[in-house]
Amino acid sequence: MASFDEAILPGQAGKVTASIRTDGYSGPISKPIAVRTNAPARPALTLTLRATVVASVNFYPGRNLVLSVGRGDENVVRTLVRKDGTESGTLEISEVASTVPWLVATARRIEAASAVASGLPPAEPGDCLVEARLVGDAPPSPAAAGIRLKTGLAREPEATVWVSVRAMPALVVSSPRLFLPAPPPGQPASGSAILTLRNDLDPAALQVSAEPAPFGVRASPAGPRRFVLEVTWTEGDPAASPRDGLVTARLGSDRATILVRVAPPRPSPEAAPPRRDAG
């Protein structure tokens, strides 16, 4: 936020007053201030406000965390809280609370130097480990939540950790379209696609179907959360055998579809036009 004198007379001096919010910041911070004037020689200039924010606590890996739902079985994020060396007093994390019901936050004090979790630095005595765990169904993606906590320290008695949630789709197909080559006469056309389920879903509830009637599909397990969709097309009466179809995978209220097209039949050698020699 910035303010300035309403008018500065020629040859006189004025001042620009600016303030900057440092909530949730730690370390160097820089903000530009744009100033416009009616002076022909310098109608615009930019002032830069720089500061170094010294917080009471430091967070590792940071105050902004990302929870990727469906890429791991835990659905949990962690941050290590450590008192800054410039702060006096004792770090006492309390009143840890999430701003949303689908994220539960807890904290525990570290009593001895140890490795607490992958991706975090080794903990020191007096540090606190804050965990945020997803409960219930995944929220619509993207979503965000805050974890508020009290530090017990004078300079920064309260702090907030922000969690961004990125949930992968419930059902993901390798391609939204599948092209089946024209089969030999009397043979079915076939092709396959890969279907991947989000980790928090039950594979036993998966249902697959194909339409219209000439098309068929079967889901074969290819891993804990992966299936091969084997698609077939069997020609019957040419007039009643459409070559465009739809494969649908359903799991609860979620679904994924694949548009399927069968290539037109190859012309038989007998049907080729007679060749004409030049001359």
Side-chain angles (χ1 to χ4, degrees):
M1 179 181 295
S3 61
F4 49 90
D5 294 342
E6 291 186 2
I8 302 174
L9 298 176
Q12 301 298 313
K15 66 179 180 180
V16 175
T17 303
S19 62
I20 185 171
R21 294 193 60 176
T22 59
D23 306 27
Y25 286 94
S26 180
I29 188 171
S30 176
K31 294 291 182 180
I33 302 170
V35 179
R36 297 185 181 279
T37 77
N38 61 353
R42 199 168 186 183
L45 66 151
T46 300
L47 306 177
T48 302
L49 177 62
R50 293 186 176 91
T52 299
V53 181
V54 181
S56 288
V57 288
N58 298 309
F59 293 84
Y60 305 96
R63 297 181 186 234
N64 296 283
L65 308 177
V66 177
L67 177 58
S68 296
V69 179
R71 298 189 183 279
D73 293 327
E74 282 193 300
N75 286 338
V76 60
V77 288
R78 301 177 177 90
T79 186
L80 191 66
V81 188
R82 179 173 296 166
K83 186 184 75 171
D84 189 82
T86 63
E87 176 66 282
S88 59
T90 301
L91 175 64
E92 296 287 353
I93 299 296
S94 63
E95 298 185 31
V96 182
S98 169
T99 58
V100 295
W102 43 262
L103 196 68
V104 174
T106 58
R108 65 181 176 90
R109 185 178 178 84
I110 305 299
E111 301 297 341
S114 61
V116 290
S118 175
L120 299 182
E124 300 177 357
D127 291 349
C128 284
L129 180 66
V130 176
E131 294 186 339
R133 186 177 301 273
L134 181 71
V135 294
D137 296 332
S141 182
I147 302 171
R148 295 172 180 156
L149 51 88
K150 292 190 175 181
T151 68
L153 300 172
R155 197 164 62 224
E156 191 178 5
E158 297 183 358
T160 302
V161 178
W162 297 102
V163 179
S164 299
V165 179
R166 298 174 184 171
M168 66 177 288
L171 307 172
V172 179
V173 292
S174 55
S175 175
R177 292 177 175 81
L178 181 63
F179 184 77
L180 306 184
Q187 300 287 331
S190 62
S192 62
I194 301 297
L195 173 69
T196 304
L197 275 59
R198 200 171 60 206
N199 285 357
D200 59 329
L201 301 177
D202 181 10
L206 177 67
Q207 297 179 336
V208 295
S209 61
E211 56 182 339
F215 291 90
V217 61
R218 182 179 65 176
S220 301
R225 296 289 187 275
R226 180 169 292 190
F227 292 84
V228 176
L229 300 183
E230 301 170 343
V231 183
T232 58
W233 175 85
T234 304
E235 185 175 17
D237 181 359
S241 298
R243 292 176 175 266
D244 292 314
L246 181 69
V247 169
T248 303
R250 294 183 177 86
L251 206 160
S253 60
D254 297 297
R255 72 172 190 169
T257 59
I258 302 175
L259 298 175
V260 185
R261 171 162 290 186
V262 182
R266 300 173 183 173
S268 61
E270 293 80 4
R275 182 176 177 182
R276 295 184 179 180
D277 295 330

